[in-house]
Amino acid sequence: MRYLAEFTIPFKGLKLGKHQFEYELDNKFFEHFEYEEFNSANVKIDLLFEKKSTMMELTFKAMGTVNVNCDLTNEPYDQPIDNTLFLVVKFGDEFNNEDEDLLIIPHGDYEVNIQQYIYELVVLSVPAKRIHPGVEDGTLDSDVLKKLEEHSLKSQKKKNEDDIDPRWDKLKNLLNE
């Protein structure tokens, strides 16, 4: 995968201590990963980068909204994003990113790319089942919700009770005679 230059941090020239980075994400960022679940995105990433003599600690904070479609009604809505990620970067013999909280980079490297961690932080912040807030509080007026209610089990039972054929009533009278 091609790296986006603005998400590559050259740490070799940074002094020991804490450094602050900010990133603004929109749909172009997610298109780079060929992720098309978001209609639009407006997410701000605050990164606290702490360089130590033998390792680096990165604390990501994602805040903002992504516009997604509701899983029940397919109505678009803004899903708030508020999540954090803590990552430790250490030096080793070879690159290793198998652990989600630890990144090992070779001793000779002088920069680290964080785009994959930011992508995963935002995508995993969205709930697996996306439900429009209007569905939960009952204020959403949608054709899909009306159809779902119409075909629900409760309305089917009520409909069946109301739709008794009048000819059956005539036959019931024959039993009573």
Side-chain angles (χ1 to χ4, degrees), residues 155-169:
S155 66
Q156 289 295 332
K157 285 183 181 178
K158 187 174 184 182
K159 187 176 179 182
N160 289 341
E161 291 172 2
D162 293 344
D163 291 345
I164 296 177
D165 192 346
R167 292 177 291 183
W168 289 108
D169 289 336

Side-chain angles (χ1 to χ4, degrees), residues 138-155:
T139 59
L140 181 66
D141 189 30
S142 168
D143 293 337
V144 174
L145 283 177
K146 290 175 186 171
K147 281 288 184 192
L148 283 173
E149 183 62 35
E150 185 179 308
H151 294 293
S152 72
L153 210 55
K154 290 179 186 176
S155 66

